[in-house]
Amino acid sequence: MGANNLTIKEIAQMAGVSTSTVSRVLNKQAHVAPDKRIRVQKVLDQSGFQPSAIARGMVSKHTNTFGVVVSDIANPYFTTLVSQIEAPAKAAGYNILLFNTMTAGETPVDASQVEIDAFARLEEKKVDGVLILGGEIDRAEPRPEYLDALTRMAGNLPVVIMAQPLRGQDFQYVSRYQQLSGSIITQHLLASGYHDIGFIGGEPGITITTERLAGYKDAMNTYSTLRKDRIFLSNYYVEDGYRSMQKLLASDTRPEAIVAINDQVALGAVRALNDNGLSCPTDMAIASCDAFPDSNYFTPRITTINHHNRLLANVAVRKLLHQISPETYDLGDLTILPPELVVRESSGLPSRSNPNE
């Protein structure tokens, strides 16, 4: 009989212990006499027995699996965040079951229904907990049926949401300083000598957009003059930055600098400048509210905001583990660091010539 065909009953007989003792050893539980644990472990080592996750789950009611719901894994922000979640999860003995709903750009009705279906499937898979990254939860007003489905799932499973908290919705959140990031990056451009500053990217009605835009507006109203015709909302991708910059360049005058919703939008804006015979930062400075991977290797390197996403991912995993097993996992330090300004080439120095000539 192959090692993986051994049953818990057979292992118990070989070790001279009860099946419940074998189960506790397999699931790394306490309350096993040291001599019995040694005998069971010896049989396991000699036989090369590898218990399946399903078998362990049948005994312990745990599958050692997290469900992760993400709206667009092609987005570099989510790609990196999932990998940053996976590392501490694996360190705690958990695997990741990824649900990429691919709802970016879909209508709110279609997108929310896909996520509702994902919640049902996660419960069917008997995952131990769920992390939600973006999607319908990022809307200023999520659809009621989505919130109902999320509430039902949270009543059955531990759930942690990486998003800005929704007023009146009692979920476990890990959030970022979104408004502060918009304020910091705008104030950096103002302090660098720019006064006419635009804002591009970000989907309307999404909390991230609303809060970062609010930070930009507050800084402009306080230290300069806010011009609504300098604001072009669209979405979060390279092509959105490109199209928004094309619209800005088509206006009678162009701004001195731009705040982009993230590094991808900034990259598209730089490309649009180049295609129009202009360059960043010589003809227009560009800075971003959110650092994405590899923006330090763009030309020019992007001035941006570090939200400390690796730390946020660790906090989210700790919160989820603590919900799953409070007696096993301490919450630890849940401090979220404020955004950090990363100054690079793209914000440059103001041109000596008038950029509107």
Side-chain angles (χ1 to χ4, degrees):
M1 180 179 291
N4 286 328
N5 292 324
L6 285 174
T7 66
I8 289 177
K9 183 176 180 180
E10 289 167 335
I11 293 170
Q13 290 174 343
M14 293 167 69
V17 299
S18 67
T19 55
S20 61
T21 297
V22 175
S23 296
R24 285 196 292 272
V25 172
L26 289 173
N27 287 285
K28 304 185 185 302
Q29 295 177 355
H31 312 301
V32 178
D35 62 318
K36 292 182 178 180
R37 187 183 295 276
I38 290 171
R39 295 207 304 271
V40 171
Q41 193 61 53
K42 184 177 180 180
V43 172
L44 294 175
D45 292 342
Q46 290 177 345
S47 67
F49 180 78
Q50 296 292 328
S52 71
I54 294 174
R56 287 195 303 269
M58 290 174 65
V59 174
S60 68
K61 307 300 182 185
H62 289 288
T63 59
N64 287 84
T65 303
F66 291 163
V68 177
V69 181
V70 59
S71 60
D72 182 11
I73 197 62
N75 184 319
Y77 164 70
F78 290 122
T79 305
T80 305
L81 191 57
V82 168
S83 68
Q84 291 167 338
I85 286 169
E86 192 169 17
K90 281 192 172 182
Y94 282 79
N95 296 311
I96 296 295
L97 179 60
L98 181 66
F99 275 71
N100 178 27
T101 60
M102 298 182 290
T103 51
E106 297 288 334
T107 66
V109 174
D110 294 337
S112 63
Q113 187 56 54
V114 171
E115 292 183 59
I116 290 170
D117 293 343
F119 295 163
R121 292 178 62 193
L122 283 165
E123 292 197 62
E124 291 173 1
K125 296 290 184 181
K126 305 296 184 185
V127 297
D128 296 331
V130 177
L131 287 168
I132 297 175
L133 318 181
E136 183 72 11
I137 196 66
D138 279 337
R139 296 192 178 278
E141 296 183 4
R143 297 182 65 81
E145 53 268 39
Y146 168 88
L147 291 176
D148 288 344
L150 178 57
T151 301
R152 285 196 301 273
M153 182 175 69
N156 298 323
L157 290 171
V159 174
V160 172
I161 303 169
M162 298 193 72
Q164 302 307 101
L166 287 172
R167 185 175 298 175
Q169 300 297 328
D170 188 21
F171 300 116
Q172 287 268 356
Y173 297 95
V174 174
S175 57
R176 303 193 289 172
Y177 294 90
Q178 303 290 12
Q179 183 165 336
L180 183 57
S181 70
S183 177
I184 289 173
I185 204 69
T186 307
Q187 288 185 51
H188 166 69
L189 291 173
L190 288 163
S192 298
Y194 304 105
H195 302 286
D196 187 353
I197 303 172
F199 185 100
I200 62 173
E203 183 182 352
I206 302 297
T207 304
I208 293 170
T209 304
T210 303
E211 294 194 3
R212 291 180 184 174
L213 182 59
Y216 156 82
K217 287 180 176 180
D218 285 349
M220 291 300 292
N221 281 324
T222 302
Y223 302 108
S224 186
T225 301
L226 176 67
R227 290 179 53 175
K228 293 183 179 180
D229 64 335
R230 295 303 200 205
I231 300 172
F232 288 88
L233 302 186
S234 49
N235 214 305
Y236 303 95
Y237 298 88
V238 176
E239 57 267 29
D240 300 303
Y242 187 93
R243 292 168 186 156
S244 295
M245 180 58 77
Q246 292 283 33
K247 291 177 181 178
L248 275 171
L249 294 177
S251 59
D252 293 337
T253 61
R254 65 175 185 262
E256 300 168 310
I258 287 294
V259 171
I261 194 81
N262 62 35
D263 284 5
Q264 288 288 291
V265 169
L267 177 61
V270 170
R271 180 72 258 176
L273 282 177
N274 293 342
D275 286 354
N276 284 274
L278 303 171
S279 67
C280 170
T282 303
D283 297 295
M284 190 184 303
I286 296 175
S288 158
C289 296
D290 196 355
F292 278 21
D294 301 329
S295 61
N296 193 37
Y297 297 95
F298 294 169
T299 303
R301 293 177 172 89
I302 303 296
T303 292
T304 189
I305 295 290
N306 177 11
H307 286 266
H308 307 287
N309 290 333
R310 188 178 301 279
L311 172 62
L312 291 166
N314 273 277
V315 169
V317 171
R318 286 206 307 273
K319 280 192 170 187
L320 194 59
L321 288 169
H322 184 71
Q323 283 192 67
I324 292 169
S325 183
E327 68 280 0
T328 305
Y329 300 102
D330 293 329
L331 278 173
D333 185 5
L334 298 180
T335 301
I336 303 298
L337 296 177
E340 176 188 0
L341 174 66
V342 182
V343 180
R344 298 185 183 134
E345 299 164 350
S346 68
S347 57
L349 292 173
S351 171
R352 292 183 180 180
S353 63
N354 186 344
N356 294 326
E357 290 180 351

